[in-house]
Amino acid sequence: MDYNPILILDDDEDDLELISEAAKELKLNNPIILFNSGDELEEYLRSDKKSPFLVICDLNMPQYDGFALKQRISENEDTKYKSVPFI
């Protein structure tokens, strides 16, 4: 079975590593895709790739916070349908 990915955005490499290890420990079937910036995540969503199963986003980031990113994704016609659920 082909599972939709779980997208994780955090600007802290240590946090991404901890989340990745936790996902392995839980033996999730969904692939985990990690992002360091909102721009990377938006680019992924704009591509023709599969819609995510879940997006987990850090709130405190240097360029713009998680709330601003959620709003940008929701307002863009190419990405808004892919942004739910967004935690």
Coordinates of all heavy atoms in Angstrom, one line a residue:
M1 N 0.8 -1.2 0.0 CA 0.0 0.0 0.0 C 0.9 1.2 0.0 O 1.9 1.3 0.7 CB -0.9 0.0 1.2 CG -1.8 1.2 1.3 SD -3.0 1.1 2.6 CE -4.4 0.4 1.7
D2 N 0.5 2.3 -0.7 CA 1.2 3.5 -0.8 C 0.6 4.5 0.1 O -0.5 4.9 -0.1 CB 1.1 4.0 -2.3 CG 2.2 5.0 -2.6 OD1 3.2 5.1 -1.9 OD2 2.0 5.7 -3.6
Y3 N 1.4 5.0 1.1 CA 0.9 5.9 2.1 C 1.3 7.4 1.8 O 2.5 7.6 1.3 CB 1.4 5.6 3.5 CG 0.9 4.3 4.0 CD1 1.6 3.1 3.8 CD2 -0.3 4.2 4.7 CE1 1.1 1.9 4.2 CE2 -0.8 3.0 5.2 CZ -0.1 1.8 4.9 OH -0.6 0.6 5.4
N4 N 0.5 8.3 2.0 CA 0.8 9.7 1.8 C 1.8 10.1 2.9 O 1.7 9.7 4.1 CB -0.4 10.6 1.8 CG -1.3 10.3 0.6 OD1 -1.3 9.3 0.0 ND2 -2.0 11.3 0.2
P5 N 2.7 11.1 2.6 CA 3.8 11.4 3.5 C 3.3 12.3 4.7 O 2.3 13.1 4.5 CB 4.8 12.2 2.7 CG 4.0 12.7 1.5 CD 2.9 11.7 1.3
I6 N 4.0 12.3 5.7 CA 3.9 13.2 6.8 C 5.0 14.3 6.6 O 6.2 13.9 6.6 CB 4.0 12.5 8.2 CG1 2.8 11.6 8.4 CG2 4.0 13.6 9.3 CD1 2.9 10.7 9.6
L7 N 4.6 15.5 6.5 CA 5.6 16.6 6.3 C 5.9 17.3 7.6 O 5.0 17.7 8.3 CB 5.1 17.6 5.3 CG 4.6 17.0 4.0 CD1 4.1 18.2 3.1 CD2 5.6 16.2 3.3
I8 N 7.2 17.4 8.0 CA 7.6 18.1 9.2 C 8.5 19.2 8.9 O 9.5 19.1 8.2 CB 8.3 17.1 10.1 CG1 7.5 15.8 10.2 CG2 8.7 17.7 11.5 CD1 7.2 15.2 11.5
L9 N 8.1 20.4 9.4 CA 8.9 21.6 9.3 C 9.4 22.1 10.6 O 8.6 22.3 11.5 CB 8.1 22.7 8.6 CG 8.7 24.1 8.5 CD1 10.0 24.1 7.8 CD2 7.7 25.1 7.9
D10 N 10.7 22.3 10.7 CA 11.3 22.8 11.9 C 12.7 23.4 11.5 O 13.4 22.8 10.7 CB 11.5 21.8 13.0 CG 11.6 22.4 14.4 OD1 12.5 23.3 14.5 OD2 10.9 22.0 15.3
D11 N 13.0 24.6 12.0 CA 14.3 25.2 11.7 C 15.4 24.7 12.6 O 16.6 25.0 12.3 CB 14.2 26.7 11.7 CG 13.9 27.2 13.1 OD1 13.1 26.6 13.8 OD2 14.3 28.3 13.5
D12 N 15.1 23.8 13.6 CA 16.1 23.3 14.5 C 16.4 21.8 14.1 O 15.6 21.0 14.2 CB 15.5 23.3 15.9 CG 16.6 22.9 17.0 OD1 17.3 22.0 16.7 OD2 16.5 23.5 18.1
E13 N 17.7 21.6 13.7 CA 18.1 20.3 13.2 C 17.9 19.2 14.3 O 17.6 18.1 14.0 CB 19.5 20.3 12.7 CG 19.7 21.0 11.4 CD 19.1 20.2 10.2 OE1 19.0 19.0 10.3 OE2 18.7 20.9 9.3
D14 N 18.2 19.6 15.6 CA 18.0 18.6 16.7 C 16.6 18.2 16.8 O 16.3 17.0 17.0 CB 18.5 19.2 18.0 CG 20.0 19.4 18.0 OD1 20.8 18.7 17.3 OD2 20.5 20.3 18.7
D15 N 15.7 19.1 16.7 CA 14.3 18.7 16.8 C 13.8 17.8 15.6 O 13.1 16.8 15.8 CB 13.4 20.0 16.8 CG 13.5 20.8 18.1 OD1 14.0 20.2 19.0 OD2 13.0 21.9 18.1
L16 N 14.3 18.1 14.4 CA 14.0 17.2 13.3 C 14.6 15.8 13.5 O 13.9 14.9 13.2 CB 14.6 17.8 12.0 CG 13.9 19.1 11.4 CD1 14.6 19.6 10.2 CD2 12.4 18.7 11.1
E17 N 15.8 15.8 14.0 CA 16.4 14.4 14.3 C 15.5 13.7 15.3 O 15.3 12.5 15.2 CB 17.8 14.6 14.8 CG 18.5 13.3 14.9 CD 20.0 13.5 15.3 OE1 20.6 14.4 14.8 OE2 20.5 12.6 16.0
L18 N 15.1 14.3 16.4 CA 14.3 13.7 17.4 C 13.0 13.2 16.9 O 12.5 12.1 17.2 CB 14.0 14.7 18.6 CG 15.1 14.9 19.6 CD1 14.8 16.0 20.5 CD2 15.5 13.7 20.3
I19 N 12.3 14.0 16.0 CA 11.1 13.6 15.4 C 11.3 12.5 14.5 O 10.5 11.5 14.5 CB 10.4 14.8 14.7 CG1 10.0 15.9 15.7 CG2 9.2 14.4 13.8 CD1 9.7 17.3 15.1
S20 N 12.3 12.5 13.7 CA 12.6 11.4 12.8 C 12.8 10.1 13.6 O 12.3 9.0 13.2 CB 13.9 11.7 12.0 OG 14.1 10.7 11.1
E21 N 13.6 10.1 14.7 CA 13.8 8.9 15.5 C 12.5 8.4 16.1 O 12.3 7.2 16.2 CB 14.9 9.2 16.6 CG 16.3 9.4 16.1 CD 16.8 8.2 15.3 OE1 16.6 7.1 15.8 OE2 17.4 8.4 14.3
A22 N 11.7 9.3 16.6 CA 10.4 8.9 17.2 C 9.5 8.2 16.1 O 8.9 7.2 16.4 CB 9.7 10.2 17.7
A23 N 9.5 8.8 14.9 CA 8.7 8.2 13.8 C 9.2 6.7 13.5 O 8.4 5.8 13.3 CB 8.8 9.0 12.6
K24 N 10.5 6.6 13.5 CA 11.1 5.2 13.3 C 10.7 4.3 14.4 O 10.3 3.1 14.2 CB 12.6 5.3 13.2 CG 13.1 5.9 11.9 CD 14.6 6.0 11.9 CE 15.1 6.8 10.7 NZ 16.6 7.1 10.8
E25 N 10.8 4.8 15.6 CA 10.4 4.0 16.8 C 8.9 3.5 16.7 O 8.6 2.4 17.1 CB 10.7 4.8 18.0 CG 10.8 4.0 19.3 CD 12.0 3.0 19.4 OE1 13.0 3.3 18.8 OE2 11.8 2.0 20.1
L26 N 8.1 4.4 16.3 CA 6.6 4.1 16.2 C 6.3 3.2 15.0 O 5.2 2.8 14.8 CB 5.8 5.5 16.0 CG 5.8 6.3 17.3 CD1 5.2 7.7 16.9 CD2 5.1 5.7 18.4
K27 N 7.3 3.1 14.1 CA 7.1 2.2 12.9 C 5.9 2.7 12.0 O 5.1 1.9 11.6 CB 7.0 0.8 13.3 CG 8.2 0.2 14.0 CD 8.1 -1.2 14.4 CE 9.4 -1.6 15.1 NZ 9.3 -2.7 15.9
L28 N 5.9 4.0 11.8 CA 4.8 4.5 11.0 C 5.0 4.1 9.5 O 6.1 3.9 9.0 CB 4.9 6.1 11.0 CG 4.7 6.7 12.3 CD1 5.0 8.2 12.2 CD2 3.4 6.4 12.9
N29 N 3.9 3.8 8.9 CA 3.9 3.4 7.5 C 4.1 4.6 6.5 O 4.6 4.4 5.4 CB 2.6 2.7 7.1 CG 2.5 1.3 7.8 OD1 3.5 0.6 7.9 ND2 1.3 1.0 8.3
N30 N 3.7 5.7 7.0 CA 3.8 6.9 6.1 C 5.2 7.4 6.1 O 5.9 7.4 7.1 CB 3.0 8.1 6.7 CG 1.5 7.7 6.8 OD1 1.2 7.0 7.7 ND2 0.7 8.3 6.0
P31 N 5.7 7.8 4.9 CA 7.1 8.3 4.8 C 7.1 9.7 5.5 O 6.1 10.4 5.5 CB 7.3 8.5 3.3 CG 6.0 8.3 2.6 CD 5.1 7.6 3.6
I32 N 8.2 10.0 6.2 CA 8.4 11.2 6.9 C 9.3 12.1 6.0 O 10.4 11.6 5.6 CB 9.1 11.0 8.3 CG1 8.3 10.0 9.1 CG2 9.3 12.3 9.0 CD1 6.9 10.5 9.5
I33 N 8.9 13.3 5.7 CA 9.7 14.2 4.9 C 10.0 15.4 5.7 O 9.1 16.1 6.2 CB 9.1 14.6 3.5 CG1 8.8 13.3 2.7 CG2 10.0 15.5 2.7 CD1 8.0 13.5 1.5
L34 N 11.3 15.7 5.9 CA 11.7 16.8 6.8 C 12.0 18.1 6.0 O 12.7 18.0 4.9 CB 12.9 16.4 7.6 CG 12.7 15.1 8.4 CD1 14.0 14.7 9.1 CD2 11.6 15.2 9.5
F35 N 11.7 19.2 6.5 CA 12.0 20.5 5.9 C 12.6 21.5 6.9 O 12.2 21.5 8.1 CB 10.7 21.1 5.3 CG 10.1 20.3 4.3 CD1 9.1 19.4 4.6 CD2 10.5 20.4 2.9 CE1 8.5 18.6 3.7 CE2 9.9 19.6 2.0 CZ 8.9 18.7 2.3
N36 N 13.6 22.3 6.5 CA 14.2 23.3 7.3 C 13.6 24.7 7.2 O 13.9 25.5 8.0 CB 15.7 23.4 7.0 CG 16.4 22.1 7.4 OD1 16.3 21.6 8.5 ND2 17.2 21.6 6.5
S37 N 12.8 24.9 6.2 CA 12.3 26.2 6.0 C 10.9 26.1 5.3 O 10.5 25.2 4.7 CB 13.2 27.1 5.0 OG 13.1 26.6 3.7
G38 N 10.1 27.2 5.5 CA 8.8 27.3 4.9 C 8.9 27.3 3.4 O 8.0 26.7 2.8
D39 N 9.9 27.9 2.9 CA 10.0 27.9 1.4 C 10.2 26.5 0.8 O 9.6 26.2 -0.2 CB 11.2 28.8 1.0 CG 11.0 30.3 1.3 OD1 9.8 30.7 1.4 OD2 12.0 31.0 1.5
E40 N 11.0 25.7 1.5 CA 11.2 24.3 1.1 C 9.8 23.6 1.1 O 9.5 22.8 0.1 CB 12.2 23.6 2.0 CG 13.6 24.0 1.8 CD 14.5 23.2 2.8 OE1 14.0 22.4 3.6 OE2 15.7 23.6 2.8
L41 N 9.1 23.7 2.2 CA 7.8 23.1 2.3 C 6.8 23.6 1.2 O 6.1 22.8 0.6 CB 7.2 23.3 3.7 CG 5.8 22.7 3.9 CD1 5.8 21.2 3.9 CD2 5.2 23.2 5.2
E42 N 6.8 24.9 1.0 CA 5.9 25.4 -0.1 C 6.3 24.9 -1.4 O 5.4 24.5 -2.2 CB 5.9 26.9 -0.1 CG 5.1 27.6 1.1 CD 5.1 29.1 1.0 OE1 6.2 29.7 1.4 OE2 4.1 29.6 0.5
E43 N 7.6 24.8 -1.7 CA 8.0 24.3 -3.0 C 7.6 22.8 -3.2 O 7.1 22.4 -4.2 CB 9.5 24.4 -3.1 CG 10.1 23.8 -4.4 CD 9.6 24.6 -5.6 OE1 9.4 25.8 -5.5 OE2 9.5 24.0 -6.7
Y44 N 7.7 22.0 -2.1 CA 7.2 20.6 -2.2 C 5.7 20.6 -2.5 O 5.3 19.8 -3.3 CB 7.5 19.9 -0.8 CG 7.0 18.5 -0.8 CD1 7.8 17.5 -1.2 CD2 5.7 18.3 -0.3 CE1 7.3 16.2 -1.2 CE2 5.2 17.0 -0.3 CZ 6.0 15.9 -0.8 OH 5.6 14.6 -0.8
L45 N 4.9 21.4 -1.8 CA 3.5 21.4 -2.0 C 3.1 21.9 -3.4 O 2.1 21.4 -4.0 CB 2.8 22.2 -1.0 CG 2.8 21.7 0.5 CD1 2.3 22.7 1.4 CD2 2.1 20.4 0.6
R46 N 3.9 22.8 -4.0 CA 3.6 23.3 -5.3 C 4.0 22.2 -6.4 O 3.5 22.3 -7.5 CB 4.4 24.6 -5.6 CG 3.7 25.8 -5.0 CD 4.4 27.1 -5.6 NE 5.8 27.2 -5.3 CZ 6.3 27.7 -4.2 NH1 5.4 28.2 -3.3 NH2 7.5 27.8 -3.9
S47 N 4.8 21.3 -6.1 CA 5.2 20.3 -7.0 C 4.0 19.3 -7.3 O 3.0 19.4 -6.6 CB 6.4 19.5 -6.5 OG 6.1 18.7 -5.5
D48 N 4.2 18.4 -8.2 CA 3.1 17.5 -8.5 C 3.2 16.3 -7.6 O 2.5 15.2 -7.9 CB 3.3 17.0 -10.0 CG 2.9 18.1 -10.9 OD1 2.1 19.0 -10.6 OD2 3.5 18.1 -12.0
K49 N 3.8 16.4 -6.5 CA 3.9 15.3 -5.6 C 2.6 15.0 -4.9 O 1.7 15.8 -4.9 CB 5.0 15.5 -4.5 CG 6.4 15.6 -5.2 CD 7.4 15.7 -4.1 CE 8.8 15.9 -4.6 NZ 9.4 15.9 -5.7
K50 N 2.5 13.9 -4.2 CA 1.3 13.5 -3.4 C 0.9 14.5 -2.4 O 1.8 15.1 -1.8 CB 1.6 12.2 -2.7 CG 0.8 11.1 -3.1 CD 1.2 9.9 -2.2 CE 1.3 8.7 -3.1 NZ 1.4 7.6 -2.3
S51 N -0.4 14.7 -2.1 CA -0.8 15.5 -1.0 C -0.4 14.8 0.3 O -0.4 13.6 0.4 CB -2.4 15.6 -1.0 OG -2.8 16.3 -2.1
P52 N 0.0 15.6 1.3 CA 0.4 15.0 2.5 C -0.7 14.4 3.4 O -1.8 14.9 3.3 CB 1.1 16.2 3.3 CG 0.4 17.4 2.7 CD 0.1 17.0 1.3
F53 N -0.4 13.4 4.2 CA -1.3 12.9 5.1 C -1.5 13.9 6.3 O -2.6 14.1 6.8 CB -0.7 11.6 5.7 CG -1.6 11.0 6.8 CD1 -2.8 10.4 6.5 CD2 -1.1 11.0 8.1 CE1 -3.5 9.9 7.6 CE2 -1.8 10.5 9.1 CZ -3.1 9.9 8.9
L54 N -0.3 14.6 6.6 CA -0.3 15.5 7.8 C 0.9 16.4 7.6 O 1.9 16.0 7.1 CB -0.1 14.7 9.1 CG 0.0 15.4 10.4 CD1 -1.3 16.1 10.7 CD2 0.3 14.4 11.5
V55 N 0.7 17.7 8.0 CA 1.8 18.7 8.1 C 1.9 19.1 9.5 O 1.0 19.5 10.1 CB 1.5 19.9 7.2 CG1 2.6 20.9 7.3 CG2 1.3 19.5 5.7
I56 N 3.1 18.9 10.0 CA 3.5 19.4 11.4 C 4.5 20.5 11.2 O 5.5 20.3 10.7 CB 4.0 18.2 12.3 CG1 3.0 17.1 12.4 CG2 4.4 18.8 13.6 CD1 3.5 15.9 13.1
C57 N 4.2 21.7 11.8 CA 5.0 22.8 11.6 C 5.4 23.5 12.9 O 4.5 23.8 13.8 CB 4.2 23.8 10.7 SG 5.0 25.3 10.3
D58 N 6.6 23.9 13.0 CA 7.2 24.7 14.0 C 6.5 26.1 14.0 O 6.3 26.6 12.9 CB 8.7 24.8 13.9 CG 9.3 25.6 15.0 OD1 8.7 25.9 16.0 OD2 10.5 25.9 14.9
L59 N 6.2 26.7 15.1 CA 5.6 28.1 15.1 C 6.7 29.2 15.0 O 6.5 30.2 14.4 CB 4.7 28.3 16.3 CG 3.4 27.5 16.3 CD1 2.6 27.8 17.5 CD2 2.6 27.9 15.1
N60 N 7.8 29.0 15.8 CA 8.8 30.0 15.9 C 9.9 29.7 14.9 O 10.8 28.9 15.1 CB 9.4 30.0 17.3 CG 8.5 30.7 18.3 OD1 7.8 31.6 17.9 ND2 8.6 30.3 19.5
M61 N 9.9 30.4 13.8 CA 10.9 30.3 12.7 C 11.4 31.7 12.4 O 10.6 32.7 12.5 CB 10.4 29.6 11.5 CG 10.0 28.1 11.9 SD 9.5 27.2 10.4 CE 7.9 28.0 10.1
P62 N 12.6 31.8 11.9 CA 13.2 33.2 11.6 C 12.5 33.9 10.5 O 12.3 35.1 10.6 CB 14.6 32.9 11.3 CG 14.7 31.4 11.0 CD 13.6 30.8 11.7
Q63 N 12.2 33.3 9.4 CA 11.7 34.0 8.2 C 10.3 34.5 8.4 O 10.0 35.6 8.3 CB 11.9 33.2 7.0 CG 11.6 33.9 5.7 CD 11.8 33.1 4.5 OE1 12.0 31.9 4.6 NE2 11.8 33.7 3.3
Y64 N 9.4 33.5 8.7 CA 8.0 33.8 9.1 C 7.5 32.6 9.9 O 7.9 31.5 9.7 CB 7.1 34.1 7.8 CG 7.3 33.2 6.7 CD1 6.7 32.0 6.5 CD2 8.2 33.5 5.6 CE1 6.9 31.1 5.5 CE2 8.4 32.7 4.6 CZ 7.7 31.5 4.5 OH 7.9 30.7 3.4
D65 N 6.6 32.9 10.8 CA 6.2 31.9 11.7 C 5.2 30.9 11.1 O 4.8 31.0 9.9 CB 5.6 32.5 13.0 CG 4.3 33.2 12.8 OD1 3.6 32.9 11.8 OD2 3.9 34.1 13.6
G66 N 4.9 29.8 11.8 CA 4.0 28.8 11.3 C 2.6 29.3 10.9 O 2.0 28.8 10.0
F67 N 2.1 30.2 11.7 CA 0.8 30.8 11.3 C 0.8 31.5 10.0 O -0.1 31.4 9.2 CB 0.3 31.7 12.4 CG 0.0 31.1 13.7 CD1 0.8 31.4 14.9 CD2 -1.0 30.1 13.9 CE1 0.6 30.8 16.1 CE2 -1.2 29.5 15.1 CZ -0.4 29.8 16.2
A68 N 1.9 32.3 9.7 CA 2.0 33.0 8.5 C 2.2 32.0 7.3 O 1.6 32.1 6.2 CB 3.2 33.9 8.5
L69 N 2.9 30.9 7.6 CA 3.1 29.9 6.5 C 1.8 29.2 6.2 O 1.4 29.0 5.1 CB 4.1 28.8 7.0 CG 4.3 27.7 6.0 CD1 4.8 28.1 4.7 CD2 5.2 26.6 6.6
K70 N 1.0 28.9 7.2 CA -0.3 28.3 7.0 C -1.2 29.2 6.2 O -1.9 28.7 5.3 CB -1.0 28.0 8.4 CG -2.4 27.5 8.3 CD -2.6 26.2 7.5 CE -4.1 25.8 7.6 NZ -4.5 25.0 6.5
Q71 N -1.1 30.5 6.5 CA -1.9 31.4 5.7 C -1.5 31.5 4.3 O -2.3 31.5 3.3 CB -1.9 32.8 6.4 CG -2.7 33.8 5.7 CD -2.8 35.1 6.4 OE1 -2.2 35.3 7.5 NE2 -3.5 36.1 5.8
R72 N -0.2 31.5 4.1 CA 0.4 31.6 2.7 C 0.0 30.3 1.9 O -0.4 30.4 0.7 CB 1.9 31.7 2.7 CG 2.4 33.0 3.1 CD 3.9 32.9 3.4 NE 4.7 32.4 2.2 CZ 5.7 32.9 1.7 NH1 6.1 34.1 2.1 NH2 6.3 32.4 0.7
I73 N 0.0 29.2 2.5 CA -0.4 27.9 1.8 C -1.9 27.9 1.5 O -2.3 27.6 0.4 CB 0.0 26.7 2.7 CG1 1.5 26.5 2.7 CG2 -0.7 25.4 2.2 CD1 2.0 25.5 3.7
S74 N -2.7 28.4 2.5 CA -4.1 28.4 2.3 C -4.6 29.4 1.2 O -5.6 29.2 0.6 CB -4.8 28.8 3.6 OG -4.6 27.8 4.6
E75 N -3.8 30.5 1.0 CA -4.2 31.5 0.1 C -3.7 31.2 -1.3 O -4.2 31.8 -2.3 CB -3.7 32.9 0.5 CG -4.4 33.4 1.8 CD -3.8 34.7 2.3 OE1 -2.7 35.1 1.8 OE2 -4.4 35.2 3.2
N76 N -2.8 30.3 -1.5 CA -2.3 29.9 -2.8 C -3.1 28.9 -3.5 O -3.3 27.8 -2.9 CB -0.8 29.5 -2.7 CG -0.1 29.2 -4.0 OD1 -0.6 28.5 -4.8 ND2 1.0 29.8 -4.1
E77 N -3.6 29.1 -4.7 CA -4.4 28.2 -5.4 C -3.7 26.8 -5.7 O -4.4 25.8 -5.8 CB -4.9 28.8 -6.7 CG -5.9 29.9 -6.6 CD -7.2 29.5 -5.9 OE1 -7.7 28.4 -6.2 OE2 -7.6 30.2 -5.0
D78 N -2.4 26.8 -5.8 CA -1.7 25.6 -6.1 C -1.5 24.7 -4.9 O -1.1 23.5 -5.0 CB -0.3 25.9 -6.7 CG -0.4 26.6 -8.1 OD1 -1.4 26.3 -8.8 OD2 0.5 27.4 -8.4
T79 N -1.6 25.3 -3.7 CA -1.2 24.5 -2.5 C -2.4 24.4 -1.5 O -2.3 23.5 -0.6 CB 0.0 25.2 -1.8 OG1 -0.4 26.5 -1.4 CG2 1.2 25.1 -2.6
K80 N -3.4 25.2 -1.6 CA -4.4 25.2 -0.5 C -5.1 23.9 -0.3 O -5.4 23.5 0.8 CB -5.4 26.4 -0.7 CG -6.4 26.2 -1.8 CD -7.3 27.4 -1.8 CE -8.4 27.2 -2.9 NZ -9.3 28.3 -2.8
Y81 N -5.3 23.2 -1.3 CA -6.0 21.9 -1.1 C -5.1 20.8 -0.5 O -5.6 19.8 0.0 CB -6.5 21.3 -2.5 CG -5.5 20.8 -3.4 CD1 -5.2 19.4 -3.4 CD2 -4.7 21.6 -4.2 CE1 -4.2 18.9 -4.2 CE2 -3.7 21.1 -5.0 CZ -3.5 19.7 -5.0 OH -2.5 19.2 -5.8
K82 N -3.8 21.1 -0.5 CA -2.8 20.1 0.1 C -2.5 20.4 1.5 O -1.8 19.7 2.1 CB -1.5 20.2 -0.7 CG -1.7 19.6 -2.1 CD -0.3 19.6 -2.8 CE -0.4 19.0 -4.2 NZ 0.9 19.0 -4.8
S83 N -3.0 21.5 2.1 CA -2.5 22.0 3.4 C -3.3 21.4 4.6 O -3.0 21.8 5.7 CB -2.5 23.5 3.4 OG -3.8 24.0 3.3
V84 N -4.3 20.6 4.4 CA -5.1 20.1 5.5 C -4.8 18.6 5.7 O -4.7 17.9 4.7 CB -6.6 20.3 5.2 CG1 -7.4 19.8 6.4 CG2 -6.9 21.8 5.0
P85 N -4.6 18.1 6.9 CA -4.5 18.9 8.2 C -3.1 19.4 8.4 O -2.1 18.9 8.0 CB -4.9 17.8 9.2 CG -4.5 16.5 8.6 CD -4.6 16.7 7.1
F86 N -3.1 20.5 9.1 CA -1.9 21.3 9.4 C -1.8 21.5 10.9 O -2.7 22.2 11.4 CB -2.0 22.6 8.6 CG -0.7 23.4 8.6 CD1 0.1 23.4 7.4 CD2 -0.3 24.2 9.6 CE1 1.2 24.1 7.4 CE2 0.8 24.9 9.6 CZ 1.6 24.9 8.4
I87 N -0.8 21.0 11.5 CA -0.7 21.1 13.0 C 0.5 22.0 13.3 O 1.6 21.7 12.7 CB -0.6 19.8 13.7 CG1 -1.8 19.0 13.4 CG2 -0.4 19.9 15.1 CD1 -1.8 17.5 13.9

